[in-house]
Amino acid sequence: MTHAADPADIRPADESAGTDHDDARLASLGYQPQLRRVLGLFANFSVAFTYLSPMVGIYSLFVLGLGTGGPAYIWLNFIPIIGMLFVALVFGELASHYPVAGALYQYSKFSVGPGYGWFVGWFYGFALLVTVAAVDTGVVGYFAALTHNWFGWNLDPADHFTILWVTVLLLVIQTVLNVTGARVMGRVAQFGVYVEIVGTFGIAIILAIHGFHHGLGYLFSTQGQTHASTNALGLDFHGSFLAAGLIAVLAPVYIYYGFESAGDISEETRDAGRQVPRAMRLAVIWGGVGSLVLTAALLLAIPGDGSKGVVDAFNGGVPFILGQLPSGVQDFLLLMIIFAFFSCGTSIQGAGSRLMFSYSRDQALPGSSWISRVHQRFGTPVNALIAGAVVSALFVLLVFVSPATDKHFLFITYPGHVNALLALVSFGVSGIYLSFLLTVLGALVARSRGWVPEGRFTLGRWGTTVTVIGAAYLGLMFINVVLPTGLTSPRGVFNYDWITLLVIVIIAVIGAAYFFTARPDRGVRRHLHDDLEPTGAEREQPPSDEPPTEEPPTAEPPGAPA
């Protein structure tokens, strides 16, 4: 009996050649293919795009951007968009040279060495697990609103038990879907892209048809948000938009990352050396376009004029703005928002499990032999998915830790009525920026040692310049994110003064204690072979007197199609 071929398995000759090339490259790095290459460019892009998720970011942070910078905060989006595009170019070059699951961990391991790579993976892994918990808990308010409209339920989105059971239910569904295969993860993400299109461009069109309350000039105003007397949060920027902008920019900064997850699933992507860099760039560009369109539409749809309109929008949030629409439309949009959160969390969990798998394959974690197992039927790192879901669920329990008053310890004050999960969520961004920064700095170190990119996408003579610009952006923004300036300062709205920096220190100390006790870098060192470039452990050997015989590849300008 003959069987019809699966259309997904029928690939053009050049794509098959690319896949063979990536498998051969994987073998040259000391790894045998264990995961199934079932994802194409669109599926890989979809995972990266839904992790970045303009809808989730804006519906979570719109009011903070509005309340700190007024409508003009929309233009601050260009800072992280442009900055992260430079970072995406650097990551794309690394991803093309090292098409290995685990992305930042693997890039840093090969660029600098096993210990450095281990700590990058440590920070990045924690940030991913925290972000899953943050995204999934963020859906509770919208879920409560929808179930009230449909079933008359009166769920309290602030109730700790409600947050716990809704989030755990979401985690279970996401885990089951991710376990069943990378193809399913890709399909969820692809549908998530369509939802994002409806939830950004579609909502913008609906709001425009319903009627905007302001002209385009409104987007260039602060509506009194630079003065304490009219600021929605009571913050005082002394009339300076520059001072307000340093804080308001954090709202879009908290959105534009996640594109690197395209590299986390490299071993499941066909022709990864060519497609992953493309997916990274496209995720940043289209994420920026979608965010700008949706933010502009929400701002122009704010009812009322002056600072009062902004304060009302701040207090009521996005539901207040969408409340002008017919109830049926509101329910449809709520459903879209919920799925956007769901697909975002699913993509992050999928990326995090591949990092955990890649980490454990190098014997870099406790229980590595168990975590690194790949299910024979599904071809997914099932144990890594389960372990990650359990850790994320444990993080959700932190919502129960919420002191009623400020708690003081030496020079650090923990703010009252702020649950511990919210404090940990701040690490979801700072930890990402730290791991990004360390990875880009690692690329600079590799270049100083003579590293020559050999992937299908290279930056050519622009490589060092692009990498320096990316490192500068990440370094400056990382300082802006974590800098402690007091709970009463505008920055305290985002980082809770010393709390974000304290969380980084605690995670670093725990990591250092494990690192120097268990020495996981020894296992990582055994997986540090690269036929193309001598790195890591090989650099410790005496240098050879023989000149290199390999010709460098033809360089491409930054951003050129690979």
Side-chain angles (χ1 to χ4, degrees):
M1 179 181 293
T2 59
H3 296 274
D6 186 341
D9 294 329
I10 301 175
R11 303 190 296 273
D14 59 339
E15 189 174 279
S16 297
T19 295
D20 293 340
H21 177 274
D22 284 330
D23 283 346
R25 180 69 179 119
L26 196 62
S28 76
L29 294 170
Y31 298 109
Q32 292 300 316
Q34 293 177 270
L35 306 175
R36 297 173 184 170
R37 291 192 187 275
V38 295
L39 304 178
L41 172 62
F42 182 50
N44 184 278
F45 158 78
S46 297
V47 171
F49 183 78
T50 52
Y51 178 174
L52 186 149
S53 187
M55 284 182 68
V56 170
I58 291 172
Y59 289 133
S60 300
L61 297 159
F62 173 80
V63 294
L64 290 180
L66 178 65
T68 49
Y73 101 92
I74 184 176
W75 306 113
L76 299 173
N77 277 269
F78 284 102
I79 295 176
I81 291 172
I82 295 171
M84 280 305 195
L85 190 55
F86 279 97
V87 176
L89 290 170
V90 177
F91 286 179
E93 188 174 57
L94 289 165
S96 188
H97 189 89
Y98 303 113
V100 188
L104 308 190
Y105 156 66
Q106 292 285 356
Y107 309 158
S108 302
K109 178 188 80 175
F110 284 110
S111 296
V112 180
Y116 189 87
W118 188 89
F119 272 100
V120 170
W122 180 255
F123 288 121
Y124 182 47
F126 258 100
L128 289 175
L129 293 172
V130 168
T131 305
V132 172
V135 169
D136 284 358
T137 55
V139 81
V140 176
Y142 298 105
F143 179 78
L146 185 64
T147 54
H148 174 76
N149 294 345
W150 282 8
F151 309 114
W153 297 359
N154 292 307
L155 299 176
D156 180 4
D159 179 73
H160 296 156
F161 285 101
T162 300
I163 294 173
L164 180 62
W165 77 258
V166 172
T167 305
V168 169
L169 176 62
L170 208 59
L171 275 170
V172 169
I173 298 172
Q174 289 166 334
T175 304
V176 169
L177 289 173
N178 274 325
V179 159
T180 54
R183 197 189 301 273
V184 175
M185 176 182 68
R187 293 282 168 78
V188 172
Q190 287 171 331
F191 189 73
V193 169
Y194 300 131
V195 169
E196 292 278 350
I197 292 172
V198 173
T200 52
F201 296 96
I203 288 179
I205 293 172
I206 292 171
L207 289 173
I209 292 173
H210 187 268
F212 289 144
H213 295 278
H214 309 281
L216 292 178
Y218 186 76
L219 302 179
F220 294 89
S221 69
T222 63
Q223 298 296 307
Q225 297 311 295
T226 57
H227 299 279
S229 60
T230 50
N231 181 272
L233 286 159
L235 304 175
D236 191 2
F237 296 106
H238 306 286
S240 170
F241 183 72
L242 176 61
L246 284 173
I247 310 304
V249 73
L250 295 178
V253 159
Y254 276 40
I255 296 175
Y256 298 108
Y257 61 91
F259 57 87
E260 82 291 343
S261 59
D264 284 312
I265 54 175
S266 285
E267 293 182 38
E268 292 153 290
T269 301
R270 298 188 292 269
D271 197 8
R274 191 162 61 99
Q275 305 296 14
V276 168
R278 286 181 174 179
M280 289 182 177
R281 299 193 300 272
L282 289 171
V284 176
I285 293 170
W286 285 108
V289 171
S291 295
L292 288 167
V293 169
L294 178 56
T295 302
L298 291 172
L299 289 169
L300 295 176
I302 293 176
D305 295 319
S307 60
K308 184 181 183 304
V310 171
V311 171
D312 290 341
F314 175 86
N315 292 329
V318 174
F320 167 75
I321 299 173
L322 299 182
Q324 310 166 69
L325 302 174
S327 58
V329 176
Q330 292 182 47
D331 287 351
F332 174 73
L333 295 181
L334 282 173
L335 195 60
M336 294 293 99
I337 294 169
I338 290 170
F339 190 86
F341 274 85
F342 173 77
S343 62
C344 177
T346 303
S347 294
I348 301 171
Q349 187 194 58
S353 66
R354 272 57 177 185
L355 169 65
M356 192 178 294
F357 159 77
S358 182
Y359 222 35
S360 299
R361 186 172 54 180
D362 287 355
Q363 293 85 50
L365 286 176
S368 287
S369 60
W370 181 79
I371 296 174
S372 61
R373 292 176 189 169
V374 175
H375 196 280
Q376 290 186 348
R377 177 183 175 187
F378 300 126
T380 53
V382 173
N383 294 343
L385 282 162
I386 294 172
V390 169
V391 174
S392 294
L394 291 175
F395 285 153
V396 176
L397 293 175
L398 293 175
V399 298
F400 291 91
V401 181
S402 182
T405 59
D406 291 356
K407 300 296 180 182
H408 305 279
F409 178 73
L410 299 178
F411 57 88
I412 297 174
T413 300
Y414 187 93
H417 304 292
V418 173
N419 69 65
L421 178 60
L422 287 178
L424 188 62
V425 164
S426 63
F427 175 77
V429 178
S430 59
I432 288 288
Y433 265 76
L434 177 59
S435 56
F436 275 31
L437 175 61
L438 293 175
T439 303
V440 174
L441 291 176
L444 283 175
V445 170
R447 288 185 181 278
S448 71
R449 292 174 172 174
W451 174 62
V452 178
E454 300 277 355
R456 297 188 169 200
F457 172 78
T458 66
L459 298 173
R461 62 189 178 88
W462 293 97
T464 299
T465 302
V466 170
T467 307
V468 168
I469 294 174
Y473 165 75
L474 291 169
L476 291 172
M477 206 53 67
F478 176 70
I479 293 172
N480 196 28
V481 168
V482 303
L483 185 67
T485 51
L487 284 173
T488 57
S489 77
R491 187 172 283 104
V493 173
F494 287 90
N495 69 3
Y496 304 113
D497 194 22
W498 284 92
I499 300 302
T500 295
L501 195 57
L502 178 63
V503 171
I504 292 177
V505 171
I506 291 173
I507 291 175
V509 169
I510 294 173
Y514 174 73
F515 182 86
F516 290 109
T517 301
R519 295 309 304 266
D521 57 317
R522 293 170 180 166
V524 175
R525 193 178 299 276
R526 291 196 292 269
H527 297 269
L528 205 61
H529 176 68
D530 183 357
D531 287 341
L532 293 183
E533 295 287 341
T535 57
E538 292 182 337
R539 291 194 187 102
E540 299 173 2
Q541 304 299 323
S544 171
D545 293 330
E546 296 183 7
T549 59
E550 199 165 21
E551 292 290 331
T554 302
E556 291 181 335

